[in-house]
Structure formats: structure tokens, C-alpha cells
Amino acid sequence: MSIAQSSIIVHRTASIDMQERELYVSVDGGPNAILRYGDSITIAVEPGHHHLRVHNTWSRRRAEFDVAAGEQVRFSTANVRGKGFEIIAIFFGIAPMYTVLEREIDM
């Protein structure tokens, strides 16, 4: 008797994404996968409780969630502009951006 494969899918396709800097994705402290704009990754996991971490080396987001046998849990992530991005970028050549991470709910 086999248990249906469970997985976590993380994609970086949101229109609000700045399309700059890589995002690093890891599950349960495992190795990092790199997401560039337009990328998606599927990570096989055992059913149970998991920790997802996404960061761009400056900004970090985390999520804790449970996965049932055979379930696919989906997340969307992006790098987005911080407050005053345009003004700060003009003066300093760099500006704040932060990472967003949202679980997608199946309807």
C-alpha cells in the first residue's frame, strides 16, 4: 500500500513582481532552490507539518502549514517595491524591496 505523493508548488509569476533579485526557497531547512521571475518549483514532501522559507537575502518570509496525503499546496511569491522606492533609487541608486509570500487557496 503506497501513500499518494504530496507536494509544495511555489511560483514567481505575479504582475507586481519587480523581476529583480533571485528568491531562495527552502522547505524544512533543506537546500535552497533559486526562483527567478517566471519560474516555478515543485518540491515533494511527506504528509504532515512543514515550514517554507523564501528570501532575497534582504527580506524574508516564512509559512507553516500542513499537507495531507496526495495534496498539492501552492504558494505565490514575489519581490515588490518598498515605500518611497522611486525617490530613494534616484538618490542612492538602490532602494528597499521586500518579499511577499501568499498561500493560494483552491476554490
Side-chain angles (χ1 to χ4, degrees), residues 17 22 27 63 71 89:
D17 196 303
E22 291 86 7
V27 175
E71 183 180 17

Side-chain angles (χ1 to χ4, degrees), residues 63-80:
E64 287 189 45
F65 55 95
D66 294 310
V67 179
E71 183 180 17
Q72 286 187 336
V73 177
R74 301 177 68 81
F75 286 89
S76 175
T77 190
N79 276 326
V80 297

Side-chain angles (χ1 to χ4, degrees), residues 44-57:
V45 295
E46 295 293 324
H49 192 75
H50 297 280
H51 298 82
L52 173 65
R53 185 177 98 157
V54 177
H55 69 91
N56 65 12
T57 70

Side-chain angles (χ1 to χ4, degrees), residues 19-51:
Q19 301 181 26
E20 294 185 23
R21 291 188 70 80
E22 291 86 7
L23 284 170
Y24 300 90
V25 178
S26 67
V27 175
D28 299 330
N32 286 325
I34 298 173
L35 282 183
R36 291 176 181 82
Y37 182 74
D39 288 349
S40 177
I41 185 168
T42 301
I43 303 166
V45 295
E46 295 293 324
H49 192 75
H50 297 280
H51 298 82

